[in-house]
């Protein structure tokens, strides 16, 4: 089982969307994603919930969580979401960064564009090794 962590600071927007897309599109027998943050927010941003709901993904029950050693255990890849110096770090994990803007407080059109960009990046990730054999 390949485990991917999508992480940002508050775990209330970008990382939640990325993990939701990954888990929707991946072969659940071979890969899974979780999302986490270094300073988790109280809830997923309302604008993120709204644009994901538009495409049939319900994030209303999703809760931001802290990236801990225990959570990172068994993961192979950490993808951070353009949070600069505040980006989480987990020793021993392969790491990539997707430099994406924070959706908090942005107009829905911008959040939709960000959602679509994240979906495209998740598809590209799933089409790469080790996922292309999933």
């Amino acid at each position: 089982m390949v485990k991917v962590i999508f992480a940002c600071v508050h775990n209330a927007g970008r990382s939640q969307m990325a993990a939701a897309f990954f888990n929707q599109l991946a072969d659940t027998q071979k890969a899974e994603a979780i999302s986490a943050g270094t300073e988790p927010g109280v809830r997923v941003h309302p604008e993120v919930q709204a644009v994901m709901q538009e495409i049939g993904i319900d994030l209303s029950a999703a809760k931001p969580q802290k990236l801990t050693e225990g959570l990172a255990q068994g993961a192979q890849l950490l993808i951070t979401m353009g949070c600069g110096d505040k980006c989480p770090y987990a020793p021993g994990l392969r790491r990539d960064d997707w430099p994406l803007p924070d959706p908090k407080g942005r107009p829905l059109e911008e959040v939709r564009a960000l959602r679509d960009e994240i979906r495209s990046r998740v598809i590209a990730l799933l089409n790469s090794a080790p996922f292309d054999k999933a």
Side-chain angles (χ1 to χ4, degrees):
M1 174 72 77
V2 177
K3 182 176 170 184
V4 177
I5 300 171
F6 292 97
C8 56
V9 177
H10 300 294
N11 187 221
R14 297 163 288 190
S15 55
Q16 291 282 352
M17 288 190 279
F21 280 129
F22 188 97
N23 288 327
Q24 179 189 53
L25 299 168
D27 179 340
T28 57
Q29 299 297 310
K30 299 187 177 170
E32 69 173 339
I34 58 172
S35 68
T38 50
E39 301 167 19
V42 176
R43 68 185 190 291
V44 175
H45 301 313
E47 53 273 15
V48 169
Q49 286 186 42
V51 300
M52 294 299 278
Q53 190 67 52
E54 289 174 356
I55 59 166
I57 297 177
D58 183 6
L59 291 180
S60 63
K63 299 269 188 260
Q65 62 181 337
K66 186 164 183 64
L67 178 59
T68 63
E69 270 187 46
L71 196 64
Q73 194 168 16
Q76 289 78 30
L77 176 62
L78 170 66
I79 297 179
T80 54
M81 301 280 162
C83 39
D85 293 340
K86 291 189 169 194
C87 273
Y89 173 75
L93 292 185
R94 195 175 108 226
R95 185 169 172 227
D96 193 7
D97 184 63
W98 295 354
L100 300 166
D102 188 345
K104 183 178 182 180
R106 301 237 194 226
L108 287 180
E109 309 81 56
E110 289 181 30
V111 182
R112 283 185 194 106
L114 179 60
R115 172 198 67 199
D116 296 345
E117 170 72 13
I118 290 171
R119 185 176 189 277
S120 294
R121 286 174 179 260
V122 168
I123 289 169
L125 175 65
L126 287 167
N127 287 330
S128 70
F131 307 105
D132 58 356
K133 292 159 188 71

